[in-house]
């Protein structure tokens, strides 16, 4: 039971974070769709400019590495091209010893990878050749797991040892860029023996929180160019791999409409992000292909979603041209009035920004950020979305995956039909962390494989990879990369992970303090005391985590009297924001800051285009954007107080890392 609720805590919060990222990007997309940024106040538009220049030669000039000099004091690995086996192995060894590859070599290696990936089909088809075993794994930015597989378990890729890396190379772990560089190096050396499938995290919308931050921290000077080139590379990654015509390896899953024939024909690189349909293209006078919004074919989109909704969309908050001539400066100055009016209008005419597409068929669908121009384009995009985001379920059928916010849940009947139609016998997928590193379902015809051990915390799960020989019978190898974990007993391991999960849960409870207080007062309006049953019911009504709250009470709440009732005000006093400098800041604002700290950091990094600091003017404009996103009134006085508090050295600018450090939670129970 302790393992189960610990797991549920971690997984619920992870999926909640994915939804928060998608909501934020939809909000920013709405702003871009409805406001014309002026040249001076272009705060967020650069993250939407995925393909300003689309001719390959133009891109190669933009990403040129030749003007970047490698200093003599550089002690990391040096690369020459064509890359050799020894250089690829040396790169692994360098990263093992905590060295960093110079940005010149990073860009050069990425450019060579991009050129090679453009030659691959959407679906790689490979063979065991009656002698080879093919190894399949995924990594999530955890270099320790990859090193364990390469050095102690299975060996490095070679002509005799082919690998399929099943997406999600980046995010969560601390060494995503190193994993990418290792995989790309071996891909260049063994293009017929190393296969890379795209995962849902190979998407700049999804990895805004984690991978983007990592790259900008490690490559402060050329990080933006590296990220831009990786956007291109991610869009060219193959979508799936078929082994011996019988085993399909893909990252997420399938739906009741997945068709490998359609997926084999799509122009995959136009899907820079699978979370948004591609834009229509036109050619400028200079001959450079530019993305622009296509005419919305609402009938075509609506027909697709009459069959089954597959993704949680925002509906537009008004017509496309309602704010056509306004700049971000205008937006910043008049945001409150304009947005309140527009929200009121949208309440009367359409669902608001956060409405999900699971409504009756008669509702037509319009996309707020990007538009699609044909039935085929919508269907192709939906199939890629399902491929990268879907999860299996135990019951028959196919329903929208509202927990993640993208893809679907599909049942055993959908698996059976899909395998029969394509003459396959097994689906190997990743996408979900499993406590044992793997899990069979759907009559052992679907295998979920997860190679990142200790994913949520040390001891939380094992990792696993699978080897397939000519008999196509999966041979699974489990491991845990941390030596600390291997030294713990089962009871110690469960206890350590449980404490970590409970700490995270207490932080989430504090972040929803206001909502919880409202829920508590419905059960107890005077005495500030609650029975255990009422406390558990109130907490679940706010958190929606489906956890055994009654059992967890003793782990979460120490404040109770002799009658066993809970003093919930005293309970909240055990948690507090650190730092005396914040005493003068409104406490509800501090709570909001803490709850949305990941979103805050993401927005600030978007605004901070040169990865250094943001000006006071940008700080104030950002907060006006944020106040609308959070549907919360933030006065100019409160914004100024925050600015003064954070700008501790009084230099007139704000460092993002200092901002994030300013609002941390002190957990008195955990500390004691």
């Amino acid at each position: 039971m302790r393992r189960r609720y610990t797991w549920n805590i971690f997984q619920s919060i992870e999926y909640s974070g994915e939804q928060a990222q998608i909501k934020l990007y939809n909000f920013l997309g709405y702003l871009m769709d409805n406001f014309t940024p002026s040249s001076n106040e272009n705060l967020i538009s650069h993250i939407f400019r995925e393909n300003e220049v689309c001719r390959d030669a133009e891109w190669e000039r933009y990403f040129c590495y030749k003007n970047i000099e490698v200093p003599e004091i550089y002690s990391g690995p040096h690369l020459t091209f064509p890359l050799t086996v020894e250089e690829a192995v040396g790169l692994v060894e360098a990263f093992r010893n905590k060295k960093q590859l110079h940005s010149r070599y990073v860009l050069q290696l990425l450019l060579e990878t991009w050129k090679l990936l453009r030659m691959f089909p959407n679906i790689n088809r490979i063979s065991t050749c009656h002698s080879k075993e093919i190894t399949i794994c995924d990594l999530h930015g955890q270099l320790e797991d990859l090193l364990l597989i390469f050095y102690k378990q299975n060996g490095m890729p070679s002509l005799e040892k082919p690998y399929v890396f099943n997406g999600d190379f980046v995010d969560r772990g601390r060494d995503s860029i190193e994993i990418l560089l290792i995989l790309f190096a071996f891909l260049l050396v063994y293009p017929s023996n190393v296969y890379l499938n795209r995962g849902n995290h190979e998407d700049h919308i999804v990895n805004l929180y984690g991978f983007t931050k990592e790259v900008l921290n490690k490559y402060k000077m050329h990080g933006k160019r590296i990220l831009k080139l990786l956007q291109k590379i991610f869009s060219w990654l193959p979508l799936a791999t078929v082994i011996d015509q019988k085993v399909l390896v893909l990252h997420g899953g399938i739906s009741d409409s997945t068709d490998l024939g359609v997926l084999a024909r799509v122009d995959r690189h136009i899907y820079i992000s699978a979370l948004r349909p591609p834009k229509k293209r036109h050619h400028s006078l200079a001959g450079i292909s530019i993305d622009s919004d296509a005419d919305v074919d609402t009938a075509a989109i609506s027909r697709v979603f009459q069959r089954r909704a597959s993704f949680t969309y925002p509906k537009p908050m008004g017509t496309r041209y309602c704010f056509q001539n306004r700049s971000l400066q205008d937006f910043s100055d008049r945001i409150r009035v304009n947005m309140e009016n527009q929200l009121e209008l949208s309440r009367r005419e359409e669902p608001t920004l956060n409405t999900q597409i699971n409504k009756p068929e008669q509702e037509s669908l319009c996309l707020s950020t990007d538009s699609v121009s044909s039935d085929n384009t919508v269907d192709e995009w939906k199939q890629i979305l399902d491929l990268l985001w879907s999860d299996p379920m135990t019951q028959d059928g196919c329903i929208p995956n509202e927990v993640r916010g993208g893809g679907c849940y599909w049942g055993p009947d959908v698996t059976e039909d899909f395998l029969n139609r394509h003459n396959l016998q097994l689906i190997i997928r990743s996408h979900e962390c499993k406590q044992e590193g793997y899990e069979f379902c759907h009559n052992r015809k679907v295998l979920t494989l997860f190679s990142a051990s200790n994913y949520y915390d040390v001891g939380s799960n094992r990792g696993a990879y699978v080897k397939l020989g000519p008999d196509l019978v999966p041979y699974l190898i489990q491991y845990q990369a941390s030596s600390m974990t291997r030294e713990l007993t089962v009871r110690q391991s469960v206890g350590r992970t449980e404490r970590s999960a409970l700490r995270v849960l207490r932080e989430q409870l504090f972040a929803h303090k206001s909502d919880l207080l409202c829920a508590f007062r419905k059960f107890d309006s005077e005495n500030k005391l609650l029975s255990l049953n009422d406390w558990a019911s109130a907490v679940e009504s706010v958190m929606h985590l489906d956890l055994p709250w009654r059992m967890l009470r003793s782990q979460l709440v120490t404040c109770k009297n002799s009658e066993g009732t809970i003093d919930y005000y005293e309970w909240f006093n055990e948690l507090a924001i650190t730092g005396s400098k914040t005493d003068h800041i409104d406490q509800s604002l501090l709570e909001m800051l803490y709850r949305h700290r990941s979103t805050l950091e993401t927005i600030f990094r978007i605004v901070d285009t040169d990865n250094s600091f943001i000006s006071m003017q940008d700080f104030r404009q950002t907060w006006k954007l944020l106040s609308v996103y959070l549907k919360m009134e933030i006065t100019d006085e409160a914004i100024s107080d925050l600015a003064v508090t954070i700008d501790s050295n009084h230099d007139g600018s704000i460092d993002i890392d200092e901002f994030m450090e300013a609002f941390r939670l002190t957990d008195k129970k955990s500390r004691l």
Side-chain angles (χ1 to χ4, degrees):
M1 176 63 76
R2 288 168 63 195
R3 286 193 74 189
R4 191 178 303 135
Y5 73 63
T6 295
W7 191 257
N8 287 342
I9 291 169
F10 280 131
Q11 198 166 60
S12 297
I13 292 171
E14 178 190 12
Y15 291 167
S16 175
E18 287 184 341
Q19 290 188 25
Q21 287 172 264
I22 294 169
K23 288 176 183 176
L24 171 62
Y25 200 87
N26 285 337
F27 173 73
L28 296 177
Y30 166 75
L31 296 179
M32 287 302 302
D33 198 46
N34 288 294
F35 294 86
T36 304
S38 69
S39 58
N40 295 325
E41 286 84 36
N42 190 4
L43 291 183
I44 60 175
S45 62
H46 59 280
I47 67 167
F48 292 87
R49 291 178 175 170
E50 293 165 345
N51 283 317
E52 300 101 325
V53 183
C54 295
R55 279 183 172 178
D56 291 344
E58 294 289 339
W59 274 117
E60 289 176 25
R61 281 199 292 272
Y62 175 73
F63 295 122
C64 184
Y65 54 86
K66 294 179 181 178
N67 60 342
I68 302 174
E69 293 186 3
V70 180
E72 292 184 4
I73 61 171
Y74 170 69
S75 60
H78 293 261
L79 302 181
T80 60
F81 294 87
L83 209 62
T84 65
V85 178
E86 291 74 20
E87 286 176 312
V89 173
L91 194 62
V92 178
E93 188 65 25
F95 292 153
R96 185 185 188 186
N97 294 319
K98 309 299 182 185
K99 293 187 176 181
Q100 184 170 307
L101 186 64
H102 194 274
S103 55
R104 175 192 172 98
Y105 298 126
V106 172
L107 284 168
Q108 193 172 4
L109 190 149
L110 294 182
L111 273 172
E112 294 299 319
T113 302
W114 178 46
K115 293 175 187 176
L116 178 62
L117 285 173
R118 288 175 353 222
M119 300 169 61
F120 291 163
N122 292 346
I123 301 176
N124 282 314
R125 296 184 179 272
I126 61 178
S127 173
T128 56
C129 299
H130 306 292
S131 60
K132 292 181 180 178
E133 281 187 324
I134 297 173
T135 304
I136 305 163
C137 59
D138 76 327
L139 298 161
H140 278 286
Q142 297 193 181
L143 184 60
E144 194 175 4
D145 291 291
L146 183 62
L147 295 177
L148 183 70
I149 294 170
F150 278 2
Y151 281 99
K152 296 184 179 180
Q153 297 268 348
N154 198 57
M156 297 193 193
S158 67
L159 295 175
E160 295 74 32
K161 204 179 292 292
Y163 274 82
V164 177
F165 294 97
N166 196 26
D168 279 8
F169 318 123
V170 304
D171 266 352
R172 310 303 184 194
R174 296 173 297 178
D175 303 299
S176 297
I177 187 66
E178 285 79 12
I179 283 178
L180 280 180
L181 295 173
I182 289 171
L183 299 188
F184 292 162
F186 279 109
L187 177 69
L188 292 173
V189 174
Y190 299 115
S192 298
N193 294 85
V194 173
Y195 301 91
L196 308 179
N197 290 340
R198 185 176 182 177
N200 68 306
H201 280 263
E202 279 69 63
D203 185 315
H204 68 288
I205 295 178
V206 179
N207 60 46
L208 266 176
Y209 279 25
F211 178 58
T212 298
K213 177 181 176 181
E214 177 193 328
V215 173
L216 293 178
N217 280 340
K218 290 179 178 178
Y219 293 96
K220 292 181 168 59
M221 186 172 295
H222 301 288
K224 299 283 184 179
R225 287 167 73 185
I226 290 170
L227 287 170
K228 200 71 176 177
L229 183 49
L230 282 169
Q231 277 188 24
K232 302 292 293 180
I233 289 173
F234 290 161
S235 70
W236 278 105
L237 287 169
L239 302 172
T241 301
V242 176
I243 301 173
D244 287 351
Q245 309 297 325
K246 289 295 181 182
V247 178
L248 175 65
V249 185
L250 46 70
H251 179 73
I254 60 172
S255 71
D256 54 4
S257 61
T258 299
D259 186 332
L260 294 185
V262 173
L263 287 166
R265 295 190 301 269
V266 302
D267 194 2
R268 69 179 185 271
H269 80 280
I270 67 174
Y271 298 91
I272 303 293
S273 170
L275 293 176
R276 305 187 298 139
K279 294 182 177 182
K280 188 177 180 180
R281 313 175 80 75
H282 67 80
H283 290 273
S284 68
L285 294 176
I288 298 172
S289 180
I290 308 290
D291 282 344
S292 65
D293 292 325
D295 296 331
V296 182
D297 186 348
T298 53
I301 302 170
S302 185
R303 282 194 296 274
V304 170
F305 285 93
Q306 283 174 4
R307 183 171 71 252
R308 179 184 59 78
S310 174
F311 179 54
T312 304
Y313 288 91
K315 287 233 179 171
M317 295 173 66
T319 60
R320 180 170 182 75
Y321 302 105
C322 58
F323 301 116
Q324 179 180 9
N325 297 317
R326 299 212 183 137
S327 70
L328 269 180
Q329 182 64 51
D330 297 329
F331 171 46
S332 178
D333 292 342
R334 292 180 278 176
I335 186 169
R336 205 166 287 116
V337 174
N338 289 334
M339 293 303 290
E340 285 176 356
N341 292 343
Q342 191 60 30
L343 281 167
E344 181 60 33
L345 181 63
S346 64
R347 287 191 194 102
R348 298 173 185 172
E349 297 179 353
E350 299 177 313
T352 58
L353 181 65
N354 295 323
T355 302
Q356 299 179 344
I357 303 298
N358 54 0
K359 303 299 181 186
E361 291 181 4
Q362 63 265 26
E363 289 188 5
S364 63
L365 170 66
C366 295
L367 301 178
S368 68
T369 306
D370 301 293
S371 308
V372 290
S373 56
S374 72
D375 227 340
N376 288 340
T377 307
V378 176
D379 185 56
E380 289 176 358
W381 162 65
K382 190 186 72 64
Q383 294 222 16
I384 291 177
L385 185 66
D386 289 341
L387 193 84
L388 299 180
W389 280 87
S390 297
D391 295 310
M393 63 180 181
T394 55
Q395 65 267 36
D396 285 346
C398 196
I399 60 175
N401 190 335
E402 295 177 356
V403 174
R404 288 189 186 271
C408 70
Y409 287 111
W410 88 93
D413 59 327
V414 176
T415 294
E416 195 70 34
D417 176 66
F418 176 83
L419 294 177
N420 289 337
R421 279 190 289 115
H422 293 91
N423 195 27
L424 298 166
Q425 67 184 42
L426 176 68
I427 297 172
I428 298 178
R429 43 91 62 174
S430 300
H431 196 43
E432 286 182 284
C433 185
K434 298 297 179 182
Q435 283 189 313
E436 297 304 318
Y438 73 92
E439 183 178 271
F440 281 99
C441 64
H442 296 181
N443 303 313
R444 293 183 69 87
K445 293 182 178 178
V446 173
L447 168 61
T448 297
L449 186 71
F450 201 83
S451 304
S453 65
N454 308 304
Y455 180 64
Y456 293 123
D457 193 17
V458 173
S460 63
N461 67 288
R462 296 183 182 182
Y465 61 92
V466 65
K467 296 170 75 93
L468 278 184
D471 58 3
L472 298 181
V473 176
Y475 176 60
L476 288 145
I477 299 95
Q478 296 170 287
Y479 56 86
Q480 281 194 299
S482 172
S483 59
M484 181 189 300
T485 306
R486 293 191 291 272
E487 294 166 0
L488 298 176
T489 65
V490 173
R491 182 179 293 275
Q492 288 171 331
S493 178
V494 171
R496 177 191 170 93
T497 311
E498 180 187 34
R499 287 191 296 275
S500 177
L502 290 170
R503 183 179 65 251
V504 172
L505 185 58
R506 282 192 290 271
E507 291 173 354
Q508 289 294 312
L509 290 168
F510 177 82
H512 292 81
K513 178 180 177 181
S514 297
D515 295 335
L516 286 168
L517 285 174
C518 289
F520 292 154
R521 290 179 187 125
K522 290 179 181 178
F523 290 93
D524 174 74
S525 58
E526 296 180 4
N527 298 324
K528 302 177 184 178
L529 299 174
L530 284 176
S531 69
L532 177 58
N533 283 339
D534 288 346
W535 177 85
S537 298
V539 172
E540 178 57 28
S541 71
V542 172
M543 303 304 294
H544 305 292
L545 293 177
D546 194 26
L547 293 172
W549 295 108
R550 287 167 56 89
M551 188 176 75
L552 289 172
R553 193 276 309 160
S554 61
Q555 304 275 19
L556 297 171
V557 183
T558 57
C559 306
K560 62 176 184 175
N561 60 24
S562 57
E563 289 79 33
T565 54
I566 297 169
D567 185 335
Y568 52 89
Y569 274 99
E570 183 62 26
W571 174 44
F572 278 123
N573 286 338
E574 292 189 345
L575 298 173
I577 293 290
T578 59
S580 58
K581 292 182 180 179
T582 61
D583 291 344
H584 64 291
I585 304 294
D586 181 80
Q587 290 303 302
S588 62
L589 183 56
L590 285 179
E591 179 189 337
M592 182 274 294
L593 281 169
Y594 185 78
R595 186 189 306 185
H596 298 281
R597 60 195 182 282
S598 294
T599 299
L600 285 168
E601 183 175 15
T602 302
I603 291 178
F604 274 54
R605 289 190 182 279
I606 290 169
V607 173
D608 179 20
T609 55
D610 60 356
N611 196 33
S612 56
F613 54 82
I614 58 175
S615 67
M616 287 295 183
Q617 180 183 3
D618 285 350
F619 179 86
R620 291 184 174 89
Q621 288 193 10
T622 302
W623 275 99
K624 288 187 180 293
L625 295 179
L626 199 65
S627 66
V628 178
Y629 173 70
L630 300 175
K631 300 184 177 69
M632 179 177 182
E633 284 286 333
I634 304 177
T635 65
D636 290 338
E637 183 180 3
I639 294 174
S640 296
D641 284 345
L642 276 174
V644 171
T645 299
I646 298 165
D647 184 20
S648 56
N649 61 357
H650 308 292
D651 65 350
S653 61
I654 295 172
D655 179 270
I656 297 175
D657 292 328
E658 289 180 353
F659 171 80
M660 294 306 297
E661 191 65 31
F663 303 100
R664 292 197 180 278
L665 193 66
T666 298
D667 186 340
K668 297 178 182 176
K669 180 180 176 64
S670 177
R671 189 175 69 238
L672 293 172

